[in-house]
Amino acid sequence: MPDPHDDFTAYAHTQLPRLVTTAHLLSGATGDPREAAELVRRTLVGLRARWRRIPRDDVDFYVLRSLVKEFLREARRQQALPDGVLKDTSARQRAVLVLLHREGLREAEVAQLLGWSAGAVGSRARRGLAVCGGDAGRLRGLFAEAAQAVEASETSGAAQVGAGDAPFGVALDDVERRGRALRRRRRAVGAVVCVLLLLPAGVFAAGRIVGGGSAGGSAAGAVDVARSPIRIVAPGERVAAVPGVQVWLTSDGKHWSTPQRPNQFLGLADDGYASASKVGTASEKPAASVQPDRLNSSYFLSGLYRGLSADPARVEVTVDENRMTGTVLTLAGSPGWGVWYTRASLSLAELKSSYGDGGPTVTVYDAAGKVVARGGADW
């Protein structure tokens, strides 16, 4: 029986023209299709490796996010800006302009996709548009012309080389093979880490069993999805989240204090996903954020969620191959927003490495298991 989650090749084949076009525009519409094809190939390999973990109602979001962040990582190593439609813009300005004027996203959606503040997105959009002449309609027209050129180039190339050649220069069978190999390597590393972590606990449990201790009343083989512990707090009530870290809520946002960075504050409208006047209203768009704080050999991960009609059933944060369930704090009265937090055993190198897969990502689920909000870390 075919795996219903193993639909990567069909999805990639359908979305390939759009991905290559977007990659071409991000690269500055240089006219060299090889740069765009290589960007798409690298993105798809990483996506294939974690394909089964991507929520099926969020596939387009994760794919576009991975493509843009892969472009931004590569752009950091480039010394010269490319020629073309966006030749005088920075890489981040190009990303914002393409997402706004080609992909048709709103500024708040771009902020959510990239894990930036809406203020940062708006500023880069204005500056980038000014560099391009200040005419949004003209820029959209130039994007459309560049997209047509990509499609025409592929049509011409396919006619010359025949049907057996890779579409748009991206060999999906090679992507499939490399992605599966990458997933196997990650699983092998994860298995070794799990064995090392669980071995002491297994020895302890075996000793308990030999000594006659056993747990009763549980159904054999039962598996339950972890739900987030939810704690209702009073305004200003300080919660000892982990040793050395305190978190508290007020009506205007999240407060937290760590040994390295005491008395931090993030207001409900500070990360740009909602204006203060919309917080807690039906017009507010659901969103979530991540703020990492270093704690010696680990990280304290926390963030805001908002725009919900009820308390979340689960808040899950993903860093590379690691999934963690966060604890939720909220004020009485179901205000539609709250704070989540968890502790992750990560080094600085591991956290930086996680940005190869898009960085820390938080997903908020309702009681039915449906994704109701998502977001990522600023970087």
Side-chain angles (χ1 to χ4, degrees):
M1 181 177 179
D3 187 338
H5 293 290
D6 204 12
D7 52 358
F8 171 81
T9 301
Y11 178 88
H13 181 78
T14 302
Q15 295 297 318
L16 196 55
R18 176 191 174 194
L19 292 175
V20 172
T21 297
T22 301
H24 181 66
L25 296 176
L26 289 171
S27 301
T30 62
D32 185 356
R34 291 173 297 181
E35 291 186 16
E38 177 58 21
L39 174 59
V40 171
R41 187 195 67 79
R42 290 196 307 270
T43 301
L44 289 177
V45 168
L47 286 166
R48 182 64 185 92
R50 62 185 187 278
W51 184 248
R52 297 186 184 185
R53 293 168 39 217
I54 297 176
R56 284 304 177 265
D57 56 351
D58 271 348
V59 172
D60 292 342
F61 170 86
Y62 278 92
V63 170
L64 185 57
R65 182 172 187 253
S66 297
L67 178 68
V68 176
K69 291 207 167 185
E70 180 67 31
F71 158 71
L72 291 173
R73 282 190 295 273
E74 180 63 26
R76 294 173 182 173
R77 298 189 287 269
Q78 293 178 349
Q79 298 298 319
L81 293 175
D83 294 327
V85 176
L86 306 174
K87 63 179 179 179
D88 295 320
T89 58
S90 70
R92 292 195 172 194
Q93 288 172 349
R94 291 202 298 277
V96 170
L97 292 176
V98 170
L99 291 172
L100 290 174
H101 300 294
R102 176 60 186 176
E103 295 295 326
L105 302 182
R106 299 188 301 272
E107 286 189 4
E109 292 173 322
V110 174
Q112 188 174 8
L113 186 141
L114 294 175
W116 300 348
S117 70
V121 171
S123 175
R124 287 169 181 141
R126 289 189 297 272
R127 292 177 182 177
L129 187 60
V131 169
C132 295
D135 188 339
R138 176 177 176 274
L139 183 62
R140 286 191 289 270
L142 292 174
F143 282 164
E145 291 177 7
Q148 291 173 358
V150 172
E151 295 173 0
S153 174
E154 168 59 18
T155 301
S156 174
Q160 293 177 14
V161 301
D165 203 60
F168 292 94
V170 181
L172 293 181
D173 55 346
D174 180 67
V175 168
E176 181 83 22
R177 183 174 64 256
R178 290 175 181 270
R180 287 178 179 271
L182 178 59
R183 186 180 67 185
R184 287 193 296 269
R185 289 197 298 271
R186 288 177 175 173
R187 282 182 172 178
V189 172
V192 171
V193 172
C194 287
V195 168
L196 293 176
L197 291 175
L198 294 176
L199 185 58
V203 172
F204 175 77
R208 290 285 301 274
I209 293 173
V210 170
S214 62
S218 61
V223 178
D224 191 18
V225 176
R227 297 174 68 89
S228 288
I230 298 178
R231 178 172 174 179
I232 299 175
V233 297
E237 178 184 349
R238 295 191 175 227
V239 174
V242 300
V245 178
Q246 290 188 327
V247 181
W248 64 102
L249 281 64
T250 58
S251 60
D252 53 353
K254 164 198 172 188
H255 304 254
W256 73 110
S257 185
T258 71
Q260 290 82 6
R261 300 178 63 190
N263 299 319
Q264 301 179 68
F265 171 70
L266 181 65
L268 291 175
D270 285 354
D271 56 3
Y273 295 132
S275 65
S277 62
K278 289 186 177 181
V279 172
T281 67
S283 61
E284 184 185 7
K285 182 179 177 63
S289 64
V290 182
Q291 292 86 47
D293 287 275
R294 192 172 185 179
L295 298 175
N296 297 324
S297 60
S298 64
Y299 271 84
F300 178 71
L301 304 178
S302 64
L304 280 169
Y305 68 85
R306 64 166 62 82
L308 276 61
S309 59
D311 290 335
R314 180 164 56 101
V315 176
E316 180 181 271
V317 60
T318 303
V319 184
D320 247 350
E321 294 290 317
N322 303 309
R323 290 185 178 186
M324 295 151 282
T325 299
T327 297
V328 172
L329 301 179
T330 185
L331 296 173
S334 297
W337 68 273
V339 169
W340 66 269
Y341 67 84
T342 189
R343 185 171 188 167
S345 298
L346 298 168
S347 66
L348 177 60
E350 288 171 327
L351 182 66
K352 288 184 176 180
S353 176
S354 75
Y355 284 102
D357 281 341
T361 301
V362 60
T363 307
V364 183
Y365 298 87
D366 64 11
K370 181 181 178 182
V371 175
V372 292
R374 43 173 160 62
D378 203 352
W379 55 285

